[in-house]
Amino acid sequence: QVQLVESGGGLVQAGGSLRLSCAASGRTFSGYAMAWFRQVLGKEREFVAGIRWSGGSTSYADSVKGRFTISRDNAKNTVYLQMNSLKPEDTAVYYCAERPLVIVTMPHLYAYWGQGTQVTVSS
């Protein structure tokens, strides 16, 4: 059974940085893609960034390009989201998710999800 566990959320002032981690377990992940989504209460879950375990190709939402960086450590089965220049509008619960093959932006196409980690950016 695949398990995804996020960590690293917290409270930060606008302009600050946080690094989120998503530790994956349960099988080998070569050939799969990982993504970060975020959700604000009452709104739809939003794609933030994605990465393929093999090759490391990435994709970003326009709203985070140039500020967020997704990366992975294959040896640790861990995906990271480095978030810089944070803005109050980045406040949300951040989730990691996994699916076969390619990165897509639609959350319903991801099979496995972590429990989420809260990120709060104060102005």
Side-chain angles (χ1 to χ4, degrees), residues 8 15 48 53 55-56 59 61 67 72 91 103 107-108:
V48 175
W53 282 109
S59 178
R67 300 189 298 124
R72 90 274 192 229
T91 295
I103 304 163
H108 69 277

Side-chain angles (χ1 to χ4, degrees), residues 66-112:
R67 300 189 298 124
F68 291 11
T69 303
I70 189 170
S71 61
R72 90 274 192 229
D73 184 331
N74 288 15
K76 295 182 178 179
N77 277 356
T78 300
V79 173
Y80 303 98
L81 185 67
Q82 178 67 44
M83 306 186 294
N84 299 328
S85 302
L86 282 161
K87 304 176 181 179
E89 51 263 44
D90 294 318
T91 295
V93 177
Y94 283 71
Y95 299 89
C96 65
E98 184 248 40
R99 71 178 307 277
L101 297 177
V102 300
I103 304 163
V104 298
T105 62
M106 296 79 79
H108 69 277
L109 295 179
Y110 285 78
Y112 294 98

Side-chain angles (χ1 to χ4, degrees), residues 6 8-9 13 23 31-32 40 47 52 55 64 81 83 89 97 100 102 116:
E6 302 100 334
Q13 287 188 331
Y32 288 78
V40 175
F47 174 82
R52 294 198 65 206
V64 306
L81 185 67
M83 306 186 294
E89 51 263 44
V102 300

